[in-house]
Amino acid sequence: MTTLTKRSRRSEAPAERSNTEEEEEKERTDEEQHTDSKSLRLTLMEEILLLGLKDKEGYTSFWNDSISSGLRSCILVELALRRRIQLEPQSSRKRKLLDRKVLVKSSAPTGDVLLDEALKHIKSTDPPEDMSSWIELLTGETWNPLKLHFQMRNVRERLAKSLVEKGVLSTEKQTFLLFDMTTHPLTDSSEKQRLVQRLQDGLLERWTNDWRRMSHRMLALILLAHAADVLESALSSLSDERYDTASSRSRSLLEADPDLESAKVTTPAEEVIWAVLAAFNRS
């Protein structure tokens, strides 16, 4: 995984809804107040993939070996934001984030195939696994043959197809020297521009020195963009001065101690977000 580098200077709705649905809607309200009304509602997985895709070529960098585990981390955080999973409660011994197991809070379907697939895996696992283990299991990075079935396959392609259905990407075939590859060039550049702008604004115009005043989804987006190694490219269009400011602020989050920061949280979803950063810091 690479880190940010210091840039050198250049010269009809149902009548009744479940409590879970109402909580999800409340969770998203704060973020949507700061989002262009024309924007699509994308999952964290779709946003991170969109940031990582080359606009014209329609594929992610061959040198990015972090995006696979980053996308699986997005799935776990999205489940937490939708109140489906959480870390087991803290004990009097104050265990570290990665010593606490991931538990299912609600097994209600999310309506998203990838999220529901991961949720099914977590629910069926006994004894439960910790956050670091789940990232590895969903990515397929395990030596235990009895746990290989937890690997979520073709995640990038499935997310890309979802973005094609939403009109953001297209589908093409490109021929390389020895093989053909399905690619997904960008068709709706405005959607990606809004996403990049929102991420940049989170580190600039709407920055707060206290991350607890950030929306949960913005905090997650910044940390997950780092985990998937797509944060620097999202900031690359900034002027040198604004790039340095955004980089410095992002580093203040990324270099924070997840276990110390998690002691300040007010929701289970925030604990999951910091647990994901702890897992990447350890890897």
Side-chain angles (χ1 to χ4, degrees):
M1 182 188 305
T2 61
T3 57
L4 287 169
T5 57
K6 186 172 179 61
R7 182 191 289 183
S8 59
R9 293 289 177 182
R10 300 194 301 256
S11 330
E12 176 175 335
E16 296 183 359
R17 299 192 300 173
S18 67
N19 289 336
T20 301
E21 289 173 329
E22 292 175 351
E23 289 174 345
E24 288 175 20
E25 190 66 29
K26 182 179 179 181
E27 171 66 33
R28 295 180 184 222
T29 298
D30 179 59
E31 182 69 19
E32 290 177 349
Q33 287 177 345
H34 300 294
T35 304
D36 192 317
S37 61
K38 296 180 181 179
S39 295
L40 295 172
R41 178 176 289 185
L42 303 180
T43 63
L44 285 168
M45 305 88 74
E46 292 169 333
E47 289 179 330
I48 294 301
L49 179 64
L50 192 54
L51 290 174
L53 282 175
K54 298 175 182 290
D55 293 358
K56 295 180 179 179
E57 293 87 345
Y59 52 81
T60 56
S61 171
F62 294 122
W63 308 110
N64 187 340
D65 58 358
S66 300
I67 197 164
S68 291
S69 55
L71 290 173
R72 274 69 173 184
S73 300
C74 290
I75 290 173
L76 294 166
V77 173
E78 188 73 48
L79 284 171
L81 290 173
R82 298 192 187 200
R83 293 174 169 82
R84 296 308 194 276
I85 64 171
Q86 63 184 27
L87 297 184
E88 63 182 335
Q90 184 61 278
S91 67
S92 57
R93 297 176 60 186
K94 299 297 181 183
R95 292 168 298 171
K96 292 182 177 293
L97 288 169
L98 298 184
D99 292 333
R100 296 160 64 188
K101 307 301 183 182
V102 178
L103 305 178
V104 173
K105 183 178 182 180
S106 169
S107 58
T110 65
D112 182 282
V113 175
L114 287 172
L115 295 179
D116 290 341
E117 181 181 331
L119 184 60
K120 182 179 179 181
H121 285 321
I122 298 171
K123 181 182 178 181
S124 65
T125 303
D126 187 24
E129 302 278 358
D130 58 46
M131 183 60 65
S132 184
S133 295
W134 271 119
I135 294 174
E136 293 174 354
L137 289 171
L138 297 180
T139 308
E141 297 176 353
T142 177
W143 293 101
N144 188 340
L146 299 178
K147 294 185 177 182
L148 287 174
H149 66 284
F150 289 127
Q151 180 181 3
M152 298 186 67
R153 301 180 183 277
N154 304 316
V155 169
R156 263 179 273 193
E157 182 64 22
R158 293 157 75 182
L159 289 171
K161 287 181 177 179
S162 176
L163 289 170
V164 170
E165 292 173 357
K166 293 179 179 180
V168 180
L169 304 178
S170 61
T171 301
E172 295 180 359
K173 288 282 188 181
Q174 285 197 25
T175 301
F176 292 86
L177 290 176
L178 300 175
F179 60 94
D180 292 337
M181 185 173 76
T182 301
T183 60
H184 299 281
L186 188 67
T187 56
D188 184 358
S189 60
S190 62
E191 189 62 37
K192 184 168 183 177
Q193 288 169 0
R194 282 191 289 264
L195 172 59
V196 170
Q197 187 64 55
R198 180 158 57 88
L199 178 55
Q200 292 176 354
D201 286 349
L203 290 167
L204 294 168
E205 279 73 16
R206 293 177 183 145
W207 172 255
T208 169
N209 288 322
D210 184 356
W211 63 262
R212 290 172 293 180
R213 296 173 60 189
M214 274 186 181
S215 73
H216 297 165
R217 298 190 77 87
M218 177 53 66
L219 174 64
L221 182 61
I222 294 171
L223 298 185
L224 290 167
H226 162 71
D229 197 14
V230 298
L231 179 56
E232 185 168 2
S233 63
L235 303 180
S236 62
S237 62
L238 294 170
S239 66
D240 288 330
E241 182 178 357
R242 286 166 63 81
Y243 175 90
D244 289 344
T245 299
S247 297
S248 175
R249 289 171 175 175
S250 64
R251 279 194 295 269
S252 70
L253 284 176
L254 302 172
E255 293 173 359
D257 186 323
D259 287 295
L260 293 178
E261 298 304 320
S262 68
K264 308 172 187 176
V265 305
T266 58
T267 66
E270 292 169 289
E271 285 191 317
V272 170
I273 293 170
W274 286 110
V276 166
L277 180 61
F280 274 87
N281 287 347
R282 191 172 75 174
S283 63

